[in-house]
Structures are given as C-alpha cells and as structure tokens.
C-alpha cells in the first residue's frame, strides 16, 4: 500500500459531462467501459472493496467489478425506475428502492429474484440505510415517513411520520444506532434507530438538503444543498459529537449539489471529500481547510 499511496498526488480535478477534464495537478488516465444499464444510472454504492452496486432507470440493479467494469449480476424485479441502492460493506446483501414504492433485498450469491420485499410506503422511496450487520434497514419516502425493517423477516419494526419531511437521503452512522436523514424541508435529522425517534435536528439550511454521508470514524456528517445561478449548492460539514455544530461549508458549485461523500483516507493523504453537481462537475475538497487541491 505504501508504494501505491506514494504515487498519489492530491489535487483538484473537474470532470465535465462532455468528457473533458480540467486538471490543476498531474493528469491521470481514466478507464471507460461499456454501459451496464440501458438507461440513466440513478444510484451507486460500494458493496465490497472490489465490487459496487448500481441502479438505473431501466428498473434493474447491477453488481459490477470496480476493476473491469463488467456486470457480474443483474437483478430485475422493480416495476419502475430504481431510485436508491445500498449495502453494508462486505455484505452479500444488496438493497434497492424504486418509484414503484417498494424496497427489495437481493442476495449476491442467490437467485436472480428478490429474497425479501419491504412494502409499506405510499410514495416513491428516496432513502435507504442498512445497519453495519445488515440485520436492519431504514427507509424514507416522499410520503413524509421513515420506516425500520427486519431484513430477515421483512417485518416493519417501526414507522414515524413528520409533516413536510420529504426524505431525500439516509445513511447509517458507523458503529452507532443512529441514522442521518436529509429532507426537502431543508433540515438534517439524526434518528435513534432503536425507538425510531428523532434524537437531534440541525439548524435548517437555506436550501433543500439533497444528500448526506458520515465519516468512517462517525465523527462528522456531510450534507449537500440545492441551488441555482451560484446561490446555494454548498456542502456542509457537521460535528456529530457533543457540540453538534456546523464546522465548515464548501462553496464552488453553481447549481444543485446532488451528492457528497467522504473519500477513503490513507496515511499519506489529507482527509478529503467529493461533491457532484448539476453544473456538470465533480469537485474534491480538503476536509479540514475547505480548499480545493
């Protein structure tokens, strides 16, 4: 690992929809593979160190190799566009949500059909978060509800509704019984999954919160905002420890920031995050300083 990390130069690159790359550091080769889905890809998540899972408008879920880009498994069962996919890292279980209001569980080494169904939402399912041991699943929807499920039995273990809480994303805090949720009501909530109750709500932002992520050490939360014409579109870093304050904002996108993630950190790399936006760019930020590059 030391040899590999020593060759990595931390820098900022903007990746545009037309295929051009604007570099501020040494250029890197990017491998491109043939399409796995027959329509737009709507969600992607890590499954194992060498595998990822994706969902698309073609109603399918695909498991692919990071190295080859080839699809190793395809799961078909939803009646409409897949909106979210997720999995507990190093698990053999894949979860998908759809505009058909359903959530399904698939076994990596099982049959091509779903091994479990989780019906119960009244509108499109827009949030998925699975516990680290893959025994419980939390789902969120535009029907203003968050639900908790037993993944073995498919039983709904709890359901909570909050007015105007149109869920946009869910993520589980590593090593904790807490789930982070973003919403169209411009807030970020921390749910205690044991009783399915809101444990904390961060101060409302000025714009819709579109996505969230949690650092692997469970110390920080990251959220992203909608925006247009240079207004909004920022990512925000929050402290999940006792103070639970806003730590930093990352501003530079000109339209809605659709996704935000903490990047894996090696001994030779500074902690960093990545954001993507409707402005056709992906930006990499220094987590501690807010600088790009």
């Amino acid at each position: 690992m030391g040899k590999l990390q020593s060759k990595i130069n931390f820098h900022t690159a903007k990746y545009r929809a037309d295929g051009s790359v604007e570099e501020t550091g040494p250029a890197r080769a990017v491998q491109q593979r043939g399409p796995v889905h027959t329509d737009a890809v709507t969600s992607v998540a890590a499954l194992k160190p060498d595998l990822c899972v994706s969902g698309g408008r073609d109603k399918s879920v695909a498991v692919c190799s990071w190295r080859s880009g080839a699809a190793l498994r395809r799961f078909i069962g939803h009646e409409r566009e897949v909106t979210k996919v997720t999995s507990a890292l190093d698990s053999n279980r894949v979860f998908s949500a759809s505009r058909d209001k359903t959530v399904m569980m698939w076994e990596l080494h099982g049959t091509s059909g779903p091994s479990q169904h989780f019906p119960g939402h009244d509108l499109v399912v827009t949030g998925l978060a699975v516990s680290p041991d893959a025994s419980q699943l939390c789902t969120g929807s535009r029907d203003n509800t968050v639900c908790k499920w037993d993944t073995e039995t498919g039983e709904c273990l709890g359901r909570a509704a909050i007015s105007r809480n149109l869920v946009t994303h869910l993520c589980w805090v590593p090593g904790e019984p807490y789930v982070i949720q973003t919403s169209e009501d411009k807030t970020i909530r921390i749910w205690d999954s044991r009783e399915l109750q809101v444990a904390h709500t961060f101060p409302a932002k000025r714009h819709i919160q579109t996505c969230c992520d949690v650092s692997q050490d469970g110390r920080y939360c990251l959220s992203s905002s909608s925006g247009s014409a240079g207004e909004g579109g920022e990512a925000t870093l929050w402290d999940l420890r006792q103070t639970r304050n806003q730590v930093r904002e990352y501003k530079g996108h000109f339209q809605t920031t659709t996704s935000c993630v903490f990047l894996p950190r090696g001994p030779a790399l500074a902690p960093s995050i990545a954001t993507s936006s409707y402005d056709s760019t992906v930006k990499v930020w220094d987590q501690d300083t807010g600088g790009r590059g």
Side-chain angles (χ1 to χ4, degrees):
M1 291 298 293
K3 292 183 178 179
L4 175 61
Q5 290 163 351
S6 66
K7 297 179 181 179
I8 298 177
N9 294 302
F10 183 82
H11 69 290
T12 300
K14 300 178 183 178
Y15 300 89
R16 300 192 174 277
D18 61 4
S20 63
V21 181
E22 178 185 338
E23 295 280 358
T24 60
R28 300 183 195 172
V30 177
Q31 294 184 347
Q32 295 187 356
R33 307 290 180 178
V36 172
H37 294 278
T38 58
D39 205 338
V41 177
T42 54
S43 183
V44 66
L47 176 58
K48 293 178 180 290
D50 58 338
L51 298 177
C52 69
V53 56
S54 60
R57 286 183 182 170
D58 59 4
K59 310 173 189 177
S60 73
V61 176
V63 175
C64 301
S65 166
W66 287 115
R67 291 181 179 274
S68 69
L72 306 180
R73 295 293 307 272
R74 285 180 67 86
F75 302 112
I76 298 176
H78 287 294
E79 296 180 356
R80 297 187 64 186
E81 169 186 336
V82 176
T83 53
K84 297 285 184 178
V85 292
T86 192
S87 176
L89 194 61
D90 285 334
S91 169
N92 289 317
R93 291 177 170 175
V94 172
F95 300 86
S96 60
S98 170
R99 286 193 177 275
D100 63 14
K101 310 173 189 177
T102 67
V103 177
M104 297 183 182
M105 181 174 77
W106 317 82
E107 300 290 344
L108 181 60
H109 303 298
T111 63
S112 58
S115 58
Q116 194 59 267
H117 291 76
F118 307 93
H121 285 291
D122 297 324
L123 292 173
V124 53
V125 181
T126 48
L128 285 178
V130 61
S131 62
D133 63 0
S135 66
Q136 293 186 345
L137 178 72
C138 280
T139 61
S141 167
R142 289 184 63 84
D143 63 11
N144 302 325
T145 66
V146 173
C147 295
K148 182 176 72 170
W149 311 84
D150 184 309
T151 60
E152 292 290 343
T153 65
E155 177 187 2
C156 183
L157 303 176
R159 181 184 179 94
I162 298 176
S163 177
R164 302 180 64 185
N165 182 35
L166 281 73
V167 177
T168 57
H169 199 76
L170 292 170
C171 58
W172 207 289
V173 179
E176 300 287 347
Y178 298 110
V179 175
I180 310 292
Q181 179 233 312
T182 49
S183 171
E184 287 194 13
D185 68 3
K186 306 177 184 178
T187 63
I188 302 100
R189 296 180 174 88
I190 301 177
W191 290 85
D192 187 328
S193 67
R194 293 167 293 190
E195 302 296 332
L196 204 60
Q197 294 181 344
V198 176
H200 182 74
T201 301
F202 290 108
K205 298 282 289 179
R206 291 183 59 193
H207 299 84
I208 289 171
Q209 297 302 283
T210 59
C211 186
C212 56
D213 194 26
V214 179
S215 60
Q216 281 301 305
D217 59 10
R219 295 177 61 184
Y220 298 104
C221 170
L222 191 64
S223 69
S224 56
S225 296
S226 66
S228 63
E231 290 291 330
E234 77 280 356
T236 306
L237 185 70
W238 306 89
D239 193 334
L240 291 181
R241 293 168 295 182
Q242 193 169 15
T243 58
R244 292 181 174 173
N245 293 328
Q246 176 179 308
V247 178
R248 186 167 291 105
E249 287 186 335
Y250 308 89
K251 297 182 178 181
H253 287 297
F254 292 96
Q255 296 185 44
T256 292
T257 297
T258 56
S259 183
C260 55
V261 293
F262 289 93
L263 297 178
R265 181 184 179 185
L269 299 176
S272 55
I273 65 171
T275 56
S276 63
S277 169
Y278 283 156
D279 65 12
S280 303
T281 66
V282 174
K283 297 183 186 291
V284 177
W285 313 78
D286 185 301
Q287 177 182 315
D288 294 335
T289 66
R292 287 180 283 150

